[in-house]
Amino acid sequence: MGEVRNGFVETVKTIVYALLIAGVFRTIFFQPFWIPSGSMKETLLIGDFVFVNKMSYGYSYASCPSLKLPGFGINIDAEDICGWMRGDNSRILGSEPERGDVVVFRHPVTGDDFIKRLIGLPGDRIQVTDGRLIINDVPVEVKDDGIFAETFSPQGPQGSTPMCANGVVGLGATCEKQRFVETLPGGVSHKILNVGNQSLDNTGVFVVPEKHYFFMGDNRDNSTDSRVQQTAGGVGFVPYENLIGRADRIMFSSAGRSMLYFWTWRGDRFFKAIE
């Protein structure tokens, strides 16, 4: 009996140690993130599985992991664990993000994880006019890059359908959007999508506050981002301490309703660099 009992204790200890190591690894180094929406198409597709480099910008309360399993009554937030670090909008071993980075951050109000592209740095003047991004009163360079086409069908676990520039199409039909290559100040080039004239194609001027950042989705007409302020249900300006890390690479991608459906994995997106 003693051997059986000792074997059980050792097994429990091994599991506990493994969970602790995994928790430390996730807290300090990398955090997995599954793309749930189409706001970053075509850079990131629904079902892309990425690892976020949490060492990129140093550490804050947002670096602590959250564990939310509603079915089991578990709702542990990063602020529950590391809320003592929040308040002065600073970071430990902090470094500044660069314009054009694809960043995962905590929504300033809801605490939900978002992933967007960093467009505006502290002190920048940001505006969108007729769909054209203007930074510090200078329109960014944009070049036509043809058409982005996908099948009009429910995507991901939420079953959302894409917006189409070619009008209302039926299930299984081709959904098209205009595609452009946008080059930001500093030289980062990336693809953006356009559906047509939308409400956020024309904005006022946003002046980014000190130690805050302005984010936009690459799928410009289907993105909840900093163009809408927090009081109106948007993201608004994101504090420095809310940054979680930089997304550098897609590990794999599932076109199905779950990342476990390996037969729906996209063969061209394994270990794909994020631009």
Side-chain angles (χ1 to χ4, degrees), residues 177-250:
K177 299 177 183 65
Q178 295 175 298
R179 181 172 57 203
F180 300 91
V181 174
E182 180 180 80
T183 301
L184 300 172
V188 174
S189 295
H190 59 100
K191 296 178 181 180
I192 60 173
L193 301 181
N194 176 55
V195 173
N197 295 324
Q198 303 292 322
S199 59
L200 294 179
D201 284 343
N202 291 280
T203 72
V205 176
F206 302 96
V207 180
V208 185
E210 181 182 0
K211 298 181 73 172
H212 286 73
Y213 297 91
F214 189 97
F215 290 92
M216 294 176 66
D218 291 350
N219 190 2
R220 291 286 163 81
D221 293 328
N222 190 25
S223 174
T224 300
D225 51 39
S226 293
R227 288 173 291 177
V228 178
Q229 295 303 287
Q230 298 161 14
T231 53
V235 172
F237 301 121
V238 178
Y240 183 42
E241 66 179 353
N242 281 46
L243 307 186
I244 295 176
R246 185 182 65 225
D248 294 325
R249 191 168 296 274
I250 301 163

Side-chain angles (χ1 to χ4, degrees), residues 80-113:
D80 297 330
I81 305 171
C82 296
W84 56 273
M85 298 175 63
R86 188 177 188 184
D88 60 356
N89 198 15
S90 63
R91 307 181 72 85
I92 299 172
L93 302 175
S95 59
E96 299 296 325
E98 297 182 3
R99 194 192 316 274
D101 286 356
V102 176
V103 179
V104 173
F105 58 89
R106 279 174 60 92
H107 189 285
V109 176
T110 67
D112 294 330
D113 290 346

Side-chain angles (χ1 to χ4, degrees), residues 55-67:
M55 299 176 286
S56 302
Y57 313 128
Y59 303 94
S60 70
Y61 86 97
S63 303
C64 285
S66 299
L67 181 60

Side-chain angles (χ1 to χ4, degrees), residues 9-23:
V9 171
E10 289 302 315
T11 300
V12 172
K13 287 169 64 177
T14 300
I15 293 173
V16 170
Y17 291 152
L19 291 174
L20 286 174
I21 292 171

